[in-house]
Amino acid sequence: MPQSLPELEQQRAALLQRIVELGDFRAGSITGTGGKCGNRNCHCHRPKDGGHSPHPRLTYKKNRKTVTESFASLAAQRKVEREIAAFREWQRLSRAVVEINEQICQARPAEESFTPQEKKRRKRSTARSRGN
């Protein structure tokens, strides 16, 4: 059963309120880098050595370039993890807002879409001009 226009508008308002309440968020992902380092005398360059364990890094795009940052501490990593999770939630909520808006656009009658100024312009005078 289709929802009424007021119900759809209420859902949209609730979604927008959830977006407002998200707090800090950022785009990006946490990736692990490991393997061999640049020091030729390091153990990681020995045969059959697995290399260094993965080090988590933040990776994101800035001005069409990939930027990678290391974390100063585990607390800094946890902070970024929360911010990325909030960004994913923002993406999900944004898609939901668009879907609800599409339903609102389909449900809203065409005559309601005119502004008061447009409604005034549409009315034509039926009286003849007295200047003739």
Side-chain angles (χ1 to χ4, degrees):
M1 180 169 129
Q3 295 178 327
S4 70
L5 188 56
E7 289 172 330
L8 291 169
E9 289 173 333
Q10 187 177 18
Q11 285 181 5
R12 177 179 60 187
L15 287 168
L16 291 171
Q17 182 59 39
R18 287 178 60 194
I19 288 173
V20 168
E21 294 169 356
L22 277 176
D24 297 339
F25 60 87
R26 65 164 68 193
S29 59
I30 296 177
T31 57
T33 60
K36 297 181 180 188
C37 68
N39 183 353
R40 289 279 178 205
N41 295 325
C42 184
H43 72 86
C44 66
H45 288 277
R46 294 186 191 134
K48 297 184 182 178
D49 191 301
H52 295 281
S53 61
H55 300 284
R57 305 232 196 291
L58 170 64
T59 303
Y60 60 95
K61 292 281 188 178
K62 185 172 185 178
N63 299 326
R64 295 185 287 175
K65 303 249 185 208
T66 301
V67 179
T68 303
E69 296 178 8
S70 298
F71 299 110
S73 65
L74 185 58
Q77 179 182 339
R78 297 288 182 249
K79 175 183 174 288
V80 171
E81 287 170 353
R82 287 189 304 272
E83 292 165 350
I84 291 172
F87 177 74
R88 301 283 185 252
E89 180 66 3
W90 174 80
Q91 288 179 310
R92 189 188 70 73
L93 291 170
S94 296
R95 285 190 298 269
V97 168
V98 170
E99 289 172 11
I100 291 290
N101 270 319
E102 288 172 352
Q103 292 176 37
I104 289 171
C105 290
Q106 291 173 349
R108 191 178 307 281
E111 58 271 8
E112 283 189 27
S113 63
F114 290 108
T115 65
Q117 291 80 18
E118 289 173 326
K119 286 180 183 177
K120 286 180 184 177
R121 271 190 256 136
R122 294 192 61 192
K123 295 179 183 175
R124 299 215 176 217
S125 174
T126 55
R128 292 186 171 252
S129 171
R130 296 186 189 225
N132 290 352

